[in-house]
Amino acid sequence: MCLFYFFNFSVIAHEEGAPHPHADQCRADKEKYCKESPKGDILSCLRKNEENLSEDCKELLQEVREKAKQRMEACKEDKEKYCSNRGTAVIRCLQENKNLLGEKCKSALFSTSM
C-alpha cells in the first residue's frame, strides 16, 4: 500500500509538472503497452507492465519511486497536518496549501532539482 501511495504521489507530481527530462526512456514502452491509457494513467500503466519494459524504462520508474519517497519524507509533517483526510489526493492538497507548507516540503515539491 505504501509503495502504491508513493508511486501515485510521484505520478501526479510528474504529470502535473514539467515533463520528466528522461521521458524518452519509456516512449517505446508507452506506445506498446499504454497507447490507450489516458494521460493521468500512463505511469500507472507502465508500472502494471513493468516486467515487460525495457531496462531504461525500468530505471526511470525506479527513479520516480525514489523521488516520490524523498518528497513524501520531506512533506510527512505537512501531509499529516493539512491533508490526512485526503486519501490519494495528497499532492493536490499540498499544492492547495502551498502557502502553509514548511520550507522543506515546499522545496521538495516545487523545486526541479529533486
Side-chain angles (χ1 to χ4, degrees), residues 32-97:
K32 185 174 183 178
Y33 300 108
C34 306
K35 195 173 188 172
E36 302 299 318
S37 294
K39 181 181 178 187
D41 291 336
I42 299 295
L43 287 176
S44 181
C45 172
L46 289 172
R47 186 183 59 85
K48 288 176 189 172
N49 291 284
E50 190 165 357
E51 66 187 40
N52 301 313
L53 302 178
S54 67
E55 288 305 312
D56 285 345
C57 190
K58 287 179 185 179
E59 286 177 23
L60 178 61
L61 290 180
Q62 184 59 35
E63 179 185 324
V64 167
R65 285 183 184 108
E66 290 302 316
K67 287 181 181 181
K69 287 179 189 178
Q70 292 170 4
R71 288 180 176 129
M72 286 309 300
E73 184 60 34
C75 293
K76 184 177 180 179
E77 290 176 21
D78 291 315
K79 178 186 115 1
E80 290 173 7
K81 190 173 183 179
Y82 304 114
C83 306
S84 62
N85 63 344
R86 294 293 291 266
T88 59
V90 172
I91 187 72
R92 286 187 182 93
C93 174
L94 291 170
Q95 289 173 331
E96 290 167 4
N97 290 289

